[in-house]
Amino acid sequence: MRYLGNKTKLLDAIAEFTRERGVPVGTVCDPFSGTAAVARHFRALGWRVLAADHMMCAYVLARSALGTAGYPRLGALAPSLDGAAPAAGLPAESVDLARAVHWLNVHAPPREGLCTRQFSPAGSAGRRFFTEENARRIDGAHATLLEWRAAGLVEEGAFHVLLAALLESGDRVANTSGVYAAYLKDWQPNALAPLELRVPRLLADERPHRAACEEAERFVALSAPHYELLYLDPPYNHRQYAAYYHVPEVLARLHTVVDPAALEGSLYGAVGLAPWTERRSEFCVRLRRGGVMRAEAAFARLLGAARADHVVVSYNEEGLVSRSAWELLLREAFGAREIVFRALGYRRYRSDADGDRRAYQRLAGRGRDEVREWLFHARR
Ligand SMILES: C[S@@+](CC[C@H](N)C(=O)[O-])C[C@H]1O[C@@H](n2cnc3c(N)ncnc32)[C@H](O)[C@@H]1O
């Protein structure tokens, strides 16, 4: 999924840094799991993973990446699905999932639901996040999935895998520059393409992983009495994910609320934002309170609650917290005896809306758009 701060391109570098620093493979706690790219990568490398995020859409992605041991069998559902073969490159055991995905792509009847009414031009607000056709297909696939679940035809693991596939397919056809703070005036080529769910590649180990929708500080303190590594990939600037990803968030929350009509009725403003301030993140706030920066105070509480001997932090060099402040936090709040710093260079992500127009400051000695991700390893 297109997601700010997604570490897909840095997975090998993060894993290599962790290995090089001598962190023993065991349990890793990732309380800012986002797309679950890092959580999934740790899982693939033999770790047991505890992943959380306070966004429900991120939880659905983490549950999909961690919540099954291999491809779910959909025995009760299978007879009513017509034959689709496993996707190219996926194993034979993915066939049930391939059939369910095929059904959602081809046979689930399009319907009018929240997505059509709120996020397509068919609604009274005329929002253009999705074409009407794609919005109706998202609503139809979503409704079918909920019917399967209510009838006991899919278990929770498979349900979340399919819901994650739906959120990801929706993101591929969203008429945005990558975030949902605004939709684009003209339809982009990706938005005009038909919605298509894909079968994800699932991992098969049976370690007791866990995904949760929870506040980071609470998860770090309570998810386990001890884990080997705390991996922190927090937001680094003022952009609040709850506002920037409100569309997938509402779709992910819809089945969890007692009153879906009330949730829909609460959407407001030009982009149909759901009230989100209860998920305002302190880690995104620069303001000082009592002489201390709020983000730093929140990191201090988080590090103080850590149940690990090692912390690895990923943080963008343009973030709210300076390198020296991070080192102080790791020493004082976590109790680090040793801190190692590394900077990884990569090309800045420019959303389509940025194009070439937006001028970012170019730092001395750097290429255009070259930014650095900081990695810290702290041991106590
Ligand atoms: C930089 S992103 C993580 C990216 C992720 N590692 C990936 O590769 O996709 C930061 C995440 O922190 C989450 N977040 C922000 N504040 C949080 C909080 N107080 N508790 C839990 N999660 C939070 C956001 O929802 C977002 O998903």
Side-chain angles (χ1 to χ4, degrees):
M1 182 158 150
R2 295 176 291 172
Y3 202 72
L4 291 171
N6 170 354
K7 294 298 171 299
T8 307
K9 290 190 186 145
L10 300 178
L11 294 175
D12 289 334
I14 293 166
E16 180 54 23
F17 181 64
T18 305
R19 199 193 55 74
E20 220 180 79
R21 296 303 309 141
V23 184
V25 173
T27 300
V28 54
C29 176
D30 173 3
F32 299 104
S33 61
T35 60
V38 180
R40 189 183 186 287
H41 196 64
F42 274 118
R43 180 180 180 188
L45 293 175
W47 291 76
R48 171 187 174 227
V49 183
L50 310 170
D53 199 289
H54 70 171
M55 295 281 287
M56 186 64 80
C57 59
Y59 163 71
V60 171
L61 300 178
R63 181 85 196 258
S64 170
L66 304 175
T68 61
Y71 291 89
R73 307 303 302 196
L74 302 175
L77 187 63
S80 57
L81 302 176
D82 58 0
L90 293 188
E93 13 352 322
S94 66
V95 67
D96 281 5
L97 194 60
R99 288 185 175 167
V101 163
H102 176 75
W103 186 272
L104 295 173
N105 277 330
V106 175
H107 301 297
R111 300 188 202 187
E112 183 198 294
L114 179 145
C115 193
T116 312
R117 288 187 296 268
Q118 300 299 333
F119 300 132
S120 88
S124 55
R127 299 179 186 120
R128 292 158 76 91
F129 283 107
F130 301 105
T131 61
E132 179 179 349
E133 190 186 356
N134 277 335
R136 288 174 61 79
R137 290 202 38 224
I138 292 171
D139 284 331
H142 187 258
T144 302
L145 207 44
L146 292 192
E147 283 161 15
W148 287 350
R149 181 180 189 233
L153 296 172
V154 288
E155 290 175 358
E156 288 302 282
F159 171 75
H160 283 91
V161 169
L162 290 165
L163 184 57
L166 179 59
L167 296 182
E168 290 184 339
S169 66
D171 189 59
R172 285 191 291 274
V173 297
N175 191 36
T176 66
S177 61
V179 296
Y180 295 81
Y183 52 83
L184 299 173
K185 198 157 59 57
D186 298 319
W187 292 110
Q188 301 303 296
N190 70 302
L192 295 172
L195 182 84
E196 188 199 356
L197 282 75
R198 296 182 188 157
V199 183
R201 183 176 291 282
L202 298 178
L203 298 169
D205 67 88
E206 297 189 357
R207 290 183 293 279
H209 307 289
R210 193 175 150 214
C213 186
E214 224 166 87
E215 282 297 316
E217 187 182 332
R218 191 179 149 77
F219 191 70
V220 161
L222 300 176
S223 57
H226 180 259
Y227 33 85
E228 277 67 30
L229 172 63
L230 175 62
Y231 170 70
L232 296 182
D233 184 17
Y236 66 89
N237 59 22
H238 63 279
R239 290 186 259 189
Q240 294 278 353
Y241 283 78
Y244 273 65
Y245 295 94
H246 65 103
V247 172
E249 182 65 2
V250 163
L251 296 175
R253 277 173 63 202
L254 203 49
H255 71 282
T256 68
V257 297
V258 183
D259 187 352
L263 175 61
E264 184 170 347
S266 72
L267 306 189
Y268 67 95
V271 296
L273 204 57
W276 60 275
T277 46
E278 84 218 23
R279 267 159 299 121
R280 183 192 296 281
S281 180
E282 284 286 293
F283 302 102
C284 302
V285 184
R286 186 195 287 277
L287 292 176
R288 283 174 195 279
R289 185 185 280 159
V292 185
M293 216 169 84
R294 271 167 64 184
E296 283 173 27
F299 283 123
R301 289 194 301 276
L302 190 75
L303 288 165
R307 304 273 182 262
D309 298 327
H310 298 267
V311 178
V312 166
V313 181
S314 305
Y315 204 67
N316 190 290
E317 67 176 348
E318 296 174 340
L320 299 176
V321 179
S322 67
R323 176 175 166 187
S324 58
W326 264 114
E327 286 171 349
L328 194 66
L329 278 167
L330 289 166
R331 227 175 281 292
E332 294 195 345
F334 178 64
R337 285 184 292 115
E338 189 191 349
I339 301 172
V340 169
F341 171 80
R342 172 103 17 112
L344 305 172
Y346 70 99
R347 254 180 93 74
R348 178 193 307 283
Y349 166 75
R350 275 181 183 268
S351 68
D352 308 343
D354 276 0
D356 279 339
R357 292 191 298 271
R358 185 157 169 189
Y360 290 95
Q361 188 191 358
R362 185 192 290 196
L363 295 172
R366 301 276 184 87
R368 179 179 185 264
D369 281 348
E370 187 187 337
V371 271
R372 301 223 167 125
E373 182 78 11
W374 292 340
L375 293 182
F376 299 89
H377 166 247
R379 183 197 308 264
R380 64 176 164 202

